Amino acid sequence: MDPLLYLGGLVVLFLLWIKVKGLDYVIVHQRWIFVCLFLLPLSVIFDVYYYMRAWLIFKMCSAPKQHDQRVRDIQRQVRVWRKEGGKTHMCTGRPGWLTVSLRVGKYKKTNKNIMINMMDILEVDTQRQVGQTLCMCPLVNMGQITALLNSLGWTLPVLPELDDLTVGGLVMGTGIESSSHIYGLFQHICVAFELVLADGSLVRCTEEENSDLFHAVPWSCGTLGFLVAAEIKIVPARYWVRLQYEPIRGLENICRRFSEASDDKNNTFVEGLQYSLDEAVIMTGTMTDTAEPDKINRIGLHYKPWFFKHVESYLTGNNTAVEYIPLRHYYHRHTRSIFWELQDIIPFGNHPVFRWLFGWMVPPKISLLKLTQGETIRQLYEQHHVVQDMLVPMKHIQSAIARFHQDIHVYPLWLCPFVLPLGRGMVHPKGEEAELYVDIGAYGEPMVKHFQAKASCRQLEQFVREVHGFQMLYADVYMERSEFWEMFDGTLYHRLRKELGCQDAFPEVYDKICKAARH
């Protein structure tokens, strides 16, 4: 009984402290307390619920039976909107805080919300003569996919990192992984899309059927129609990833070695973590069914060090090494620490004691972090925090890294190569052939003096436009309209918006995501 009384006394003192300091003060200055006591347990409950729900639905085969009915309900909502005069634009009814993007879309409050409750895997087709596929709804996330496919011996050719990323977000936006130097972006492994258009009709688009729409959907951010299903390629999986860590020093050496590794198609996975202007670790991996027992590292276990810290140890020790990592652990290697963002929220999160006792609960759901951040934290993040992914041609990687260092000085930087094939949508190479690009991801607090979010990001955006690169649209975009359409090819997009009656039904992508249009 004494321990219970002691614990109760601590709880009372804690509540009194919150009352004296104020809840806003605690959430802003001691956010880890709120995250550890409330958001981590809630995140576990969320995960368990959605995992069990997905498993039961797939096993009982109820999702395909209900899918057509749900599609008809979306069509009904759109037709009701049209019958009422279509006075405002439409958007999905999913709350803005549920998305992985740190941006909170204000359009949700003014647009007509169309409810799309579709979060089920519909079919795994491994018997097709030409290419096996996975058919799924837009709210299926990467955690669901790896849990199911890996157990069946299959995987996606490109499986973006974070568990909560959804198929709809990756189709309408974009996605990338360390296998993208072979397969391209997430859109390039998609075989077919099904959409409900502005007139309430249902269409299927592929490379052969409604081809223009198929090419225009990626990066359109839901401004051409409502995605209700996607068919995506799958490939055979192996249990292990043989991962080699190679520490490199000197910016020129880093860029040369990273480019060489990215050109080598024998590498199934290529990734770089850059810890300073002149220090990085380049990782190359292949899938395999066998592993050397003394080199196995199950990095996804809750008590293991955060992956980016584990990688940094090879830089400190200045030694090349090889490890064997379970495939699913590898796919979600940055999930537990949200790349390296969690160190700013829970500063002691990588401490061995915390990992052993509470590591099984991390990470907190990004959606819950957004829901509870409040206006003060949102403004602090906006002015003193950077989350950006810039896609630049590999031939400009050295000048791009130098520019990141000059304008924002955020480390580590995430380096992920990808091949960009020819196309006619919003994003394609400027030349006449496929080109190798690199995604440079910066997530953290800028270390440059007198950092100004808008000015600094606009400098980066200008550089990316000059080298014919692209900016991922989940992040804050500060470009003016003319600058945006200088970066992206809007030829096909604008033509289809006019032909499909989207101009009165959906906002233009620029108006939906760019800060200059939203403020």
Side-chain angles (χ1 to χ4, degrees), residues 465-480:
R465 289 197 305 274
E466 289 172 351
V467 299
H468 303 305
F470 308 94
Q471 180 178 15
M472 282 200 183
L473 301 183
Y474 76 88
D476 285 331
V477 178
Y478 292 90
M479 289 182 282
E480 299 295 330

Side-chain angles (χ1 to χ4, degrees), residues 42-105:
L42 280 175
S43 297
V44 172
I45 294 171
F46 264 58
D47 283 337
V48 171
Y49 168 75
Y50 281 110
Y51 176 81
M52 292 302 298
R53 180 188 180 281
W55 184 83
L56 285 171
I57 287 176
F58 187 78
K59 290 296 183 182
M60 297 171 64
C61 298
S62 62
K65 298 173 185 177
Q66 296 179 10
H67 179 71
D68 291 345
Q69 178 182 338
R70 290 170 178 166
V71 170
R72 287 192 295 271
D73 182 64
I74 294 168
Q75 293 178 284
R76 179 192 59 78
Q77 293 178 69
V78 172
R79 286 166 181 155
V80 167
W81 168 83
R82 288 175 60 84
K83 186 177 180 180
E84 293 175 348
K87 299 174 183 178
T88 63
H89 287 140
M90 293 183 289
C91 67
T92 65
R94 190 185 189 207
W97 60 269
L98 274 175
T99 63
V100 172
S101 169
L102 294 179
R103 183 177 60 246
V104 178

Side-chain angles (χ1 to χ4, degrees), residues 377-447:
I377 291 180
R378 190 193 67 78
Q379 291 181 2
L380 284 172
Y381 261 76
E382 187 172 300
Q383 296 302 321
H384 304 287
H385 199 86
V386 168
V387 179
Q388 290 286 351
D389 281 86
M390 299 293 188
L391 316 180
V392 299
M394 185 67 77
K395 60 190 176 187
H396 295 295
I397 182 175
Q398 186 168 338
S399 59
I401 292 174
R403 191 60 182 263
F404 269 75
H405 180 83
Q406 172 189 318
D407 289 345
I408 59 175
H409 198 281
V410 170
Y411 291 101
L413 291 175
W414 189 54
L415 306 178
C416 185
F418 69 98
V419 63
L420 187 60
L422 291 177
R424 55 186 190 274
M426 286 176 60
V427 171
H428 54 77
K430 300 299 181 182
E432 298 300 322
E433 59 183 13
E435 186 172 354
L436 193 62
Y437 275 63
V438 58
D439 174 6
I440 302 177
Y443 325 116
E445 183 179 353
M447 293 293 108

Side-chain angles (χ1 to χ4, degrees), residues 300-316:
L301 297 177
H302 72 274
Y303 56 82
K304 289 286 187 174
W306 288 346
F307 184 69
F308 78 97
K309 287 294 187 183
H310 173 65
V311 173
E312 190 176 18
S313 68
Y314 291 105
L315 186 63
T316 306

Side-chain angles (χ1 to χ4, degrees), residues 13 176 202 215:
L13 289 174
I176 191 171
L202 175 67
H215 282 270

Side-chain angles (χ1 to χ4, degrees), residues 25 58 100 121 194 216 232 290 302 304 325 365 376 443 497:
Y25 174 90
F58 187 78
V100 172
I121 294 174
E194 291 183 10
I232 300 174
T290 59
H302 72 274
K304 289 286 187 174
I325 301 172
K365 306 290 280 187
T376 302
Y443 325 116
R497 274 180 60 81

Side-chain angles (χ1 to χ4, degrees), residues 93-320:
R94 190 185 189 207
W97 60 269
L98 274 175
T99 63
V100 172
S101 169
L102 294 179
R103 183 177 60 246
V104 178
K106 296 181 180 179
Y107 61 88
K108 295 280 187 180
K109 297 179 181 179
T110 58
N111 289 3
K112 171 67 175 178
N113 283 208
I114 303 298
M115 302 309 298
I116 300 178
N117 182 28
M118 309 180 81
M119 55 185 67
D120 304 316
I121 294 174
L122 302 174
E123 182 185 19
V124 180
D125 187 352
T126 61
Q127 305 302 317
R128 287 177 57 163
Q129 294 295 320
V130 183
Q132 294 76 23
T133 60
L134 174 70
C135 186
M136 66 197 90
C137 294
L139 296 183
V140 170
N141 65 42
M142 297 301 103
Q144 284 177 258
I145 291 173
T146 52
L148 175 66
L149 284 187
N150 290 177
S151 67
L152 300 175
W154 296 86
T155 187
L156 298 186
V158 176
L159 204 149
E161 168 64 34
L162 299 178
D163 283 24
D164 290 340
L165 292 171
T166 64
V167 170
L170 295 169
V171 167
M172 292 294 186
T174 193
I176 191 171
E177 185 43 272
S178 55
S179 56
S180 288
H181 65 295
I182 298 174
Y183 298 103
L185 298 171
F186 191 83
Q187 68 199 64
H188 300 124
I189 65 168
C190 295
V191 175
F193 305 130
E194 291 183 10
L195 298 100
V196 172
L197 301 181
D199 61 359
S201 62
L202 175 67
V203 299
R204 175 181 172 86
C205 54
T206 68
E207 189 67 65
E208 294 78 27
E209 179 184 5
N210 295 311
S211 178
D212 283 348
L213 183 59
F214 179 73
H215 282 270
V217 163
W219 295 79
S220 66
C221 298
T223 59
L224 291 173
F226 294 111
L227 183 72
V228 294
E231 194 174 320
I232 300 174
K233 297 175 186 175
I234 58 176
V235 294
R238 303 289 181 266
Y239 188 81
W240 301 100
V241 172
R242 181 188 184 277
L243 193 65
Q244 177 173 302
Y245 304 86
E246 184 179 354
I248 309 286
R249 285 180 167 79
L251 181 57
E252 186 176 342
N253 294 331
I254 292 168
C255 296
R256 184 181 66 252
R257 179 68 188 102
F258 185 75
S259 181
E260 291 171 353
S262 303
D263 276 324
D264 186 355
K265 297 303 187 287
N266 291 318
N267 295 322
T268 309
F269 306 105
V270 178
E271 175 185 29
L273 294 185
Q274 184 142 356
Y275 292 90
S276 71
L277 184 62
D278 297 308
E279 296 179 309
V281 178
I282 308 300
M283 289 159 280
T284 55
T286 55
M287 283 195 284
T288 177
D289 285 322
T290 59
E292 300 175 51
D294 60 332
K295 295 181 179 179
I296 290 175
N297 184 6
R298 301 179 186 275
I299 60 173
L301 297 177
H302 72 274
Y303 56 82
K304 289 286 187 174
W306 288 346
F307 184 69
F308 78 97
K309 287 294 187 183
H310 173 65
V311 173
E312 190 176 18
S313 68
Y314 291 105
L315 186 63
T316 306
N318 197 33
N319 61 304
T320 300

